[in-house]
Amino acid sequence: MVKFLIQRPIAVLMAFTACFIVGMVTYFTLPVSLLPDIAIPEITVQVSAQNTSARELENTVVKPLRQQLIQVAKLKDMDSETRDGAGIIRLSFDYGTNTDLAFIEVNEKIDAAMNNLPKDTERPKVIKASATDIPVFYLNLTLKNDSAYGKTDERAFLDLCEFAENVIKRRIEQLTEVAMVDVTGLLERQLQIVPDPDKLAVLGLTVEDIEKVLLQNNVEPGSMIVRDGYYEYNIKFSTLLRTEEDVRNILLRKGGRIVRLGDFCRVEVVPVVEKGVSISNGKRAVTLAVIKQADENMDDMKQAVNQTMDYFRKVYPDIDFSVSRNQTELLDYTISNLQQNLSLGFLFICIVAVLFLGDIKSPFIIGLSMVVSIVICFLFFYFFNMSLNIISLSGLILALGMMIDSSIVVTENISQYRERGYSLKRACVAGTSEVITPMLSSSLTTIAVFVPLIFMSGIAGALFYDQAFAVTVGLLVSYFTGIMLLPVLYILVYRMGLRGKSWFSRVRINNPLKEHTLDRFYDAGVDWVFSHKLISTLFCVVSIPLCVFLFFFIGKERMPEIDQNELIARVEWNENIHVDENRYRVDRLFKLLLDETVEQTAAVGQQDYLLNREQALSSSEAELYFKTASPAEIVPLQEKVYRWVKREYPLAVVSFTPPETVFEKLFVTGEADVVAELYARNKEKAPVAGELSELEQRFTASTGVAPTGIAFENQLNISILQEKLLLYDVAYEELYRTLKTAFKENSVAMLHSYQQYLPISIVGEERTVNEVLQQTLIQTRPDDKGKVEYIPLRELVRVRPAEDLKTITAGRNGEYIPFRFYEVADVPALMEQVKREADATEDWDTAFSGSFFSNRKMLNELVVILFVSILLMYFILAAQFESFVQPFIVLLEIPIDVAFALLLLWVCGHTLNLMSAIGLIVTCGIIINDSILKLDAINELRKGGMPLLEAIHEAGRRRLRPIIMTSLTTIFAMVPLLFSFDMGSELQKPLSIAMIGAMFVGTLVSLFIIPLIYWFINRKKI
């Protein structure tokens, strides 16, 4: 085949040139994203029930829903959190589940459950998780005239809210790259009616009378069509309330008198009592979460939004526009760095080739064939709908060092034949033909390592499909380029050089590596190994138990820690505070950290996001976002935040997580190491705060690790005295209506102000709970003579303080109390101590979950994958060598290489995680390529009649430079990743360290140890 191709160089060049051009065109059309487009197998069910306690909502709605949803097919896990007025159920599925079908089935189960729920229950919302729903960035709008941490101009901020919702939001949503803009931090308004209690009593009116007259004067019965001759008219009936003056002028009749509502009520438009605010750098803000269209390019969106923001800044100079949590910067930085690493790796490889080959021609040929190979890879990316992301680009970087191996081996082999006196064309044919089979085996063994990775369970398997694809395509393309294009290029370049017409022919490098230095180094190494057989054998034997020991000794986690200069702190103050007090505490903390951060934003209390899939914040919670100048400042900042909160507010519960990104959504790196789930043995006994606090202290004392605390809330339970209602003839509805009015929760109608609707609420004067109970009077039903009496509210109700869990957590097995432990050194010991302390109370059954278990499952899968990969490699090698024994010689170096790589990971402070484990597995496929080349050469020489030791020395000399060059090129392709700090490089750093360590030792083993083992096995066959 090679001879056929060399005889038709123009056809080969044209074919590869066409592929190169098409590849360049497709490169600029490939989508660019942070991570591959992976369907997240998660569905969230959100339950809403205003004015319902957490306990009632759990028992009447959430629990029946869980019992129904547990029947959904392919359900992997389920958990729920219930709070006052809201609940959330999270359903996670096995990866590969069709989430569209699961979404339909979940809705069907909810429809079936609705018949058993309370009649007034609002149908739960079902939300399918999607990476595209994560905001690309948050746009914060603040007033320039506001002072940081000071009072906000309420009137000006109301105008800003209206402007943000009606102008900014709509303008950004008009961009084709934007799917929607989610808004929070708006200051809502309402029409407030405050009755005068004295005038109500004089007029004999009640709150019920006000409610009725509002409803009667705010109806829209519809319209009718009337014909008039040739014409037809649409007559509309409407008595809608449109302005506050309309409300004041409402007339009602009582006891023969007609009065106006404004005569005995104060009517005004006021801000709604706030349950949450948004803060940006100390100022109150309106925050817009910008969500990208799924099929749009991130760069296009960034340019479009930047142009729009520049326009707004010029036209509206009184408003500050600031962007936070910007994922476009992360994407740009990461992708550009990976592309730069690809270029640097290619440059290092060319330098290595020049140093070893001694002239410019051969490196030029190798470099040109590599460029062609990489560009043709993009063509396959296009055909298989792959994007350029941190995984696929990292795969190309990983493949870069391996891709050049084929070109180096072919070029070096052709050069050796030319040195033996072969003609240029004959050397190309013989040199290429000789290595076609071992190169194919080498490529297939490397690919065999990646194929099992695709079958990993969970998102990890899907995610690294891109990496496996990139490496597989890179190796196959480079293999065919090496055996088809490279010999043709070699002939053309060296033929031009021989005629003296080329610049290459005049460039030579006096390179001692090309002479006898490497040969002397190799001969000395082999002689030393053969003269110290016992030491060399012990080195091999000891490496196997060392590999096993290090595997169990080294720390393990799911994903490597990625340095970030952003931090999310979620604080539950664990006290019954309102939003103003919550903001005051957040402002105090922000002032303290002003000099240590470059950006601060906060979501204080409830937020208004439509697409919020997580549990909503309560008025006593805050989510704080910090950005620092460098990642090194995050850990001290986190410690300072924790110390300050616990010192100033000891009851508070603090947890820290990375900002929500696509990466975090897929891998959940902020998950607790261990979650102790405590199930109550006595189902009738409610959890007591004091007992759980004492148990938390015992856990901390016995384990040395403080778990995230359990939040409780203080409540006032108002019991209505039914006998008093009957005694004084008070209607239950009147009592309930009076209570709602007194506590400002009586929303009765809607003011239709054309494009804006405002709620109409009947409220009482601002008073404390005790004042309401002491001063409020309830009207009795009229007696036979139409006379009514007024009874103090305190006579009809009983108020008792109570305490209950703020959040009720439950899973497949029912309710449990979660204690979350982070940064645990010895997980089994901690679980044993926690179980011992919980059992000592005789009140709890204990179960455990957390990242420790998912990490262990993942690593177990990787061990199985490693064995499967080794088995595949054995089959391939057995087919090549036509021997059952020689593959064992090659595979014996794997435990040696893995042991050293694990040791290097431990020394460098890294753990055994998904990335480093993949690095180990991949290296197992790469490093044996050197041994394959060497054994193949030894076998060929022995077939020619050469003695065993002489064949070992001669084969080593022939394959020495290709082995060293291929190892160095693979190492140098990884080196740029060690000195970059973007997400992609941080993600691949453990993989790079594992590969560099294994390649370094593996090269020495291939050169010196493998020949000794070969000699041991074959010495008697001489």
Side-chain angles (χ1 to χ4, degrees), residues 494-554:
Y494 276 88
R495 182 177 293 164
M496 290 190 321
L498 289 173
R499 293 175 181 172
K501 296 180 181 179
S502 173
W503 175 81
F504 297 110
S505 63
R506 297 191 294 272
V507 181
R508 301 290 297 177
I509 297 175
N510 185 16
N511 182 16
L513 294 177
K514 197 176 180 184
E515 306 302 328
H516 302 293
T517 305
L518 288 176
D519 292 346
R520 289 198 298 270
F521 161 75
Y522 172 73
D523 288 334
V526 170
D527 291 339
W528 188 93
V529 168
F530 273 80
S531 61
H532 297 81
K533 296 183 181 69
L534 181 61
I535 296 175
S536 302
T537 306
L538 284 175
F539 173 75
C540 297
V541 172
V542 170
S543 65
I544 297 175
L546 179 64
C547 178
V548 175
F549 169 76
L550 287 172
F551 177 80
F552 289 102
F553 172 75
I554 194 170

Side-chain angles (χ1 to χ4, degrees), residues 563-565 628-637:
D563 291 335
Q564 298 189 36
N565 63 338
T628 59
S630 69
E633 300 174 36
I634 286 293
V635 174
L637 176 69

Side-chain angles (χ1 to χ4, degrees), residues 785-805:
K785 299 179 181 179
K787 185 179 179 182
V788 297
E789 299 288 342
Y790 290 91
I791 307 298
L793 179 60
R794 65 177 181 272
E795 296 294 330
L796 303 173
V797 297
R798 180 186 295 119
V799 179
R800 289 179 297 182
E803 192 174 40
D804 198 1
L805 289 168

Side-chain angles (χ1 to χ4, degrees), residues 243-250 260 267:
T243 65
E244 55 185 292
E245 196 60 35
D246 291 343
V247 178
R248 289 194 188 96
N249 292 328
I250 291 176
R260 195 171 67 95
V267 180

Side-chain angles (χ1 to χ4, degrees), residues 333-398:
Y333 182 55
T334 299
I335 298 298
S336 63
N337 269 15
L338 287 176
Q339 291 172 336
Q340 183 180 351
N341 290 341
L342 191 65
S343 304
L344 284 174
F346 178 74
L347 178 63
F348 290 157
I349 287 169
C350 290
I351 292 173
V352 170
V354 170
L355 289 175
F356 274 84
L357 297 176
D359 66 356
I360 300 296
K361 298 176 188 176
S362 295
F364 170 76
I365 296 169
I366 293 171
L368 185 59
S369 62
M370 270 206 61
V371 171
V372 172
S373 299
I374 291 173
V375 172
I376 293 176
C377 286
F378 295 130
L379 186 60
F380 286 90
F381 272 54
Y382 178 80
F383 286 144
F384 287 90
N385 296 319
M386 306 292 287
S387 66
L388 292 177
N389 53 67
I390 64 175
I391 301 299
S392 59
L393 277 175
S394 300
L396 277 181
I397 294 173
L398 182 61

Side-chain angles (χ1 to χ4, degrees), residues 144-159:
K144 282 190 176 178
N145 294 332
D146 277 355
S147 59
Y149 313 110
K151 191 172 179 61
T152 303
D153 183 344
E154 194 170 271
R155 176 55 57 185
F157 190 78
L158 273 171
D159 295 338

